[in-house]
Structure formats: C-alpha cells, structure tokens
Amino acid sequence: MPAVTGRGPARRGVLTAAAGVAAVAVAAPGAQAAPAAQGSGGGAGRSRWATSWATAQTAPTETDTVAAGGLTDGVFTAVLRLSAGGQVRLRYGNAFGSAPVLIGPVTAGGRAVTFGGRRQAWLAAGASLTSDPVDGLSVPAASRLTVETRLPGPTGPLSFHRNTHASHSVDGVRTTSVFLLTGVEVTGAHGPVLAVLGDSIAEGVGTPDDADLRWPDQLARRLPGSAVANLGISGNRLLLNDARFGPGGQARFDRDVLSLPGLRTVLVHLGINDLQQPPAQTDPALVLAGYRQLVLRARNAGLRIVGSTITPFEGWTRWTPELDAVRQQINRAVRTGRLFDAVADFDRALHDPAQPSRLLPAFDSGDGLHPNPSGHAALAAAVDRRHLL
C-alpha cells in the first residue's frame, strides 16, 4: 500500500452476493474560519468532496484517561487508511465538548494545513471545523496518510473515538484512539460514496490492529474509486444511548451521516446490541420502527439507504433462544418488508447452515458474535455495488 507522510432512482432488492512550527494569527474562540473550497454539505451529492476516512465520536468516561483529562501542548499523530484519493482536506469535531479547543499547527502528509489561511483555528464546543484544501498534497486511493495535530490546550475533555483498531500516538505513546479528528475528505472519488452506520463489527472487532481487514475496508478495496466512511462504534445500539458506547443510531444519524459531503448511500449495520445488551430490546416492532425512522430521514436528505440483517451470536455470553427468535423476526421483516431500498443479508453470509443461530466456525473470531477477517470478507462480499450507485 503506498505510504503518504447524482444519484439515480433508488433500487430495491436483496444483496447476495504536528506538529508544525510557529503559528500565525489565531481567530478568537467562536469565530468562523473562512470557508474551504466548494461546499461541504452532505446528502445532496453535489460536492466535489467525499469522505475517504471517517470515525464517529463519543464522550470520554473516567476510564478514558487521555480523553477525559485532555492535553496541554500535546501532539496527536494519526495514521489513517484512506479509501478514495485526490486532493485532501481535514475535518475535526468537538461533538461532546463544553468549551472551544484551539487546533494547530497541523500537518497532513508532512504539509502544512490551514484553516481560512491560518495555521491555527478554534473548534467551537459541539461544532465541526473543516480545513482548507492542503496545498500541494494529492494522495492515491488506498494509501495511508499521517496527520499530526498540535493541541496547545489545556483542552479539557476531548471528544474521541475509543478504538479504531489501528495505531496512532499521543506525544509518542501508542494509542488506538482518535482525538477530535473525524474525517479526511478528498476530491478523487469516482465510485460509490458510502457511509456505514454501525457497531463493533463495522468498527473492526475480530480483526487485528493495523491490518485494515474491517469489512468496510474490504468493501472499499472491492469498489475502486469508492469513498467509504466507517462510522462504527463498538457497543452502539440503534435505539438507546449509552454513556460509554455513545448516542444510538437514531440520535447520531444527523451529525455522523447527514453531515458528510458528497454522500450517496448509507448502510445501516445496527441492531445486535439492542438485542443482547441489557436492557435487551425484545419487541421487534420497536427495532423495525427505529429502522423506519432512519429510512425516512435518509430519503428526506436525498440518500438511498441499505439495511442489513442481524448476524447470529449463539456462543456469546448473553445469547438466549428467545433473543434469537426476536433476531429472526426482525430479519424476516427486513428481507421481505421492502423497508430499505436494498438489503445486505449479513445473516445469510455468516451463519452456519447446520446451526443458523451460530456463526460459521470458519468465520468466528472465537466469541460467537464478532467475525474474524474471513467473516469480514464475507460481509464485504454480501454488499452489491449495483445498489450503492
């Protein structure tokens, strides 16, 4: 992998298959930086920008010592695997912050990043901040990009993603978390532009760190020119919010999905945690109603929306036959109810035909719930390109 330091009518169907040096003038907290080139609004597909790498944020808990304590004159270095390539700009988010945070200086691929022409900018509480296009930087598809962000601080608690299953660092100390940085946007997407609203399986649990074997990564490799934003959060639900696992899919949909530039399709990969995490959701009608609300919001934004069936999890500590019966009811409705524009049948891709309540042994990471890299490959293969365009 190289190192770098219009939508038509929706179709229905079932898918088978840094630190920089001296900073210049800084805007006051709350001030707006000059807008970057050519709009960043998501949903309409009119932007030349598309999100090539993304992550979804949660608020830190007391056990998340770096994020909860914040940084003072710290440097966060992220090494990111991109999907599509092209010219680059960055996006930062402070979704759970209560005060503005000074960002910068920043470098991407060793080049200076600016915000309205300045090396530093204030990221307002609860807001996002998009950089200018990075001068002189163009990246190939499927490359790695190193982003170094100095945070003069003291920042206070940092909005973050707890585990990206990839290695980054804070002041030279390894971490798998990403702090404040939420997206890398590029101009070179010429295939499907897709966001995955998911849980731990989409996030990559069951795959080794730094291997880029999460199923959204493997899907991007199957679709040359595609831009795939992985918005999976371990433990995330469709319906309920959680202090550790973040707002549920309904609560975070607008911020995490509809804000993305150039987006055409969203794939919903949520529901298993609604069943197995206490308090368990045992009424399939409530889960289906939650899906229906996401469908309405996606279509209102001009997006197509692909659903996925819930994968088997017998062998997981909280599995029961009763919960599996609920899962099967939901899956039947998803397959046959014409709720989504298309369906990726992840259950069929992973289950053991001899024991449909279990993962196929060749796909099981060992805990009964999370697929291994081969299972992630099977999930990627279950998504049909024809329903993403």
Side-chain angles (χ1 to χ4, degrees), residues 14-17 219 222-223 344 380-388:
V14 176
L15 308 185
T16 57
L219 177 63
R222 286 185 52 235
L223 305 173
V383 181
D384 191 325
R385 174 190 181 95
R386 295 171 300 172
H387 296 267
L388 303 179

Side-chain angles (χ1 to χ4, degrees), residues 96-115:
F96 301 94
S98 58
V101 177
L102 183 61
I103 302 289
V106 176
T107 64
R111 295 182 177 271
V113 177
T114 59
F115 304 86

Side-chain angles (χ1 to χ4, degrees), residues 268-306:
V268 178
H269 187 191
L270 292 170
I272 197 167
N273 290 319
D274 295 81
L275 302 185
Q276 64 89 19
Q277 282 185 1
Q281 179 50 256
T282 58
D283 184 351
L286 292 180
V287 175
L288 293 169
Y291 289 151
R292 191 169 294 110
Q293 287 300 309
L294 297 188
V295 170
L296 291 172
R297 287 155 72 184
R299 289 176 178 164
N300 286 344
L303 301 177
R304 67 191 62 203
I305 181 165
V306 177

Side-chain angles (χ1 to χ4, degrees), residues 178-207:
V178 167
F179 305 91
L180 299 180
L181 184 65
T182 60
V184 177
E185 299 169 1
V186 300
T187 57
H190 53 81
V193 180
L194 170 71
V196 177
L197 183 71
D199 51 34
S200 60
I201 299 176
E203 185 194 67
V205 175
T207 68

Side-chain angles (χ1 to χ4, degrees), residues 239-265:
L239 299 176
L240 298 182
N241 302 338
D242 185 274
R244 180 167 180 81
F245 302 131
Q250 292 190 109
R252 67 187 180 98
F253 189 78
D254 291 10
R255 178 182 65 245
D256 288 352
V257 175
L258 298 187
S259 65
L260 298 181
L263 190 64
R264 296 181 183 179
T265 305

Side-chain angles (χ1 to χ4, degrees), residues 52-321:
S52 181
W53 173 90
T55 196
Q57 293 185 329
T58 60
T61 65
E62 61 182 12
T63 61
D64 302 306
T65 54
V66 174
L71 297 175
T72 299
D73 196 26
V75 176
F76 167 60
T77 303
V79 182
L80 312 173
R81 182 204 176 275
L82 307 183
S83 48
Q87 193 175 13
V88 170
R89 69 183 185 186
L90 308 179
R91 186 198 292 212
Y92 291 84
N94 193 13
F96 301 94
S98 58
V101 177
L102 183 61
I103 302 289
V106 176
T107 64
R111 295 182 177 271
V113 177
T114 59
F115 304 86
R118 296 173 172 149
R119 290 299 311 277
Q120 291 182 302
W122 287 96
L123 171 58
S128 64
L129 175 71
T130 301
S131 79
D132 304 328
V134 181
D135 188 40
L137 178 62
S138 182
V139 297
S143 60
R144 293 187 188 275
L145 178 69
T146 298
V147 177
E148 292 188 347
T149 304
R150 183 171 292 279
L151 299 171
T155 63
L158 296 167
S159 302
F160 81 132
H161 186 99
R162 184 172 288 106
N163 189 0
T164 63
H165 302 278
S167 297
H168 317 290
S169 67
V170 175
D171 293 334
V173 178
R174 182 183 182 271
T175 179
T176 59
S177 299
V178 167
F179 305 91
L180 299 180
L181 184 65
T182 60
V184 177
E185 299 169 1
V186 300
T187 57
H190 53 81
V193 180
L194 170 71
V196 177
L197 183 71
D199 51 34
S200 60
I201 299 176
E203 185 194 67
V205 175
T207 68
D209 289 354
D210 302 313
D212 300 324
L213 292 175
R214 299 162 287 244
W215 77 256
D217 296 329
Q218 299 199 52
L219 177 63
R221 287 195 287 272
R222 286 185 52 235
L223 305 173
S226 63
V228 179
N230 186 344
L231 306 174
I233 299 176
S234 186
N236 204 233
R237 298 177 182 242
L238 171 69
L239 299 176
L240 298 182
N241 302 338
D242 185 274
R244 180 167 180 81
F245 302 131
Q250 292 190 109
R252 67 187 180 98
F253 189 78
D254 291 10
R255 178 182 65 245
D256 288 352
V257 175
L258 298 187
S259 65
L260 298 181
L263 190 64
R264 296 181 183 179
T265 305
V266 55
L267 191 153
V268 178
H269 187 191
L270 292 170
I272 197 167
N273 290 319
D274 295 81
L275 302 185
Q276 64 89 19
Q277 282 185 1
Q281 179 50 256
T282 58
D283 184 351
L286 292 180
V287 175
L288 293 169
Y291 289 151
R292 191 169 294 110
Q293 287 300 309
L294 297 188
V295 170
L296 291 172
R297 287 155 72 184
R299 289 176 178 164
N300 286 344
L303 301 177
R304 67 191 62 203
I305 181 165
V306 177
S308 63
T309 50
I310 300 174
T311 52
F313 61 100
E314 184 177 355
W316 181 250
T317 54
R318 289 190 285 269
W319 182 89
T320 67

